[in-house]
């Protein structure tokens, strides 16, 4: 399981979400971060139909979505809970 995290510069909730993502990284969960204002970020966002930021998507080893928070601050406890179950 890993986390895909999508942000952009002028996103009012992205700073709060980034703090949560930093805690998640420190716990050992793999995190891929994408700036949707870059070509790579836009491409990945299109693949997962990301329409707003911050967006946090948990994916399994096959890159399939497990759960997501689109345009919302992610639920850190839910991410840790799902990570524990998958470990």
């Amino acid at each position: 399981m890993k986390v895909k995290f999508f942000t952009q510069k002028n996103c009012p909730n992205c700073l709060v979400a980034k703090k949560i993502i930093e805690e998640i990284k420190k716990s050992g969960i793999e995190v891929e971060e994408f700036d949707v204002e870059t070509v790579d970020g836009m491409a990945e966002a299109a693949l997962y139909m990301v329409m707003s930021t911050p967006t946090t998507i948990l994916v399994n080893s096959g890159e399939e979505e497990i759960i997501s928070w689109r345009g919302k601050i992610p639920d850190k406890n839910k991410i840790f809970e799902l990570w524990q179950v998958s470990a």
Side-chain angles (χ1 to χ4, degrees), residues 6-79:
F6 298 86
T7 63
Q8 61 183 330
K9 270 187 269 177
N10 295 324
C11 167
N13 291 320
C14 287
L15 289 176
V16 174
K18 281 182 182 185
K19 289 179 183 176
I20 292 170
I21 293 301
E22 287 304 316
E23 289 180 50
I24 290 166
K25 275 195 220 178
K26 288 178 184 174
S27 73
I29 298 173
E30 182 181 353
V31 175
E32 290 182 340
E33 294 186 52
F34 300 94
D35 178 344
V36 298
E37 296 177 299
T38 67
V39 173
D40 289 342
M42 271 194 274
E44 193 74 13
L47 183 66
Y48 287 94
M49 295 188 295
V50 172
M51 302 299 216
S52 59
T53 55
T55 289
T56 306
I57 303 173
L58 269 64
V59 296
N60 63 19
S61 59
E63 299 284 317
E64 298 168 320
E65 184 175 322
I66 298 169
I67 190 171
S68 65
W69 293 266
R70 295 171 185 273
K72 299 178 183 175
I73 296 170
D75 181 341
K76 173 177 66 174
N77 294 328
K78 185 70 174 176
I79 293 170

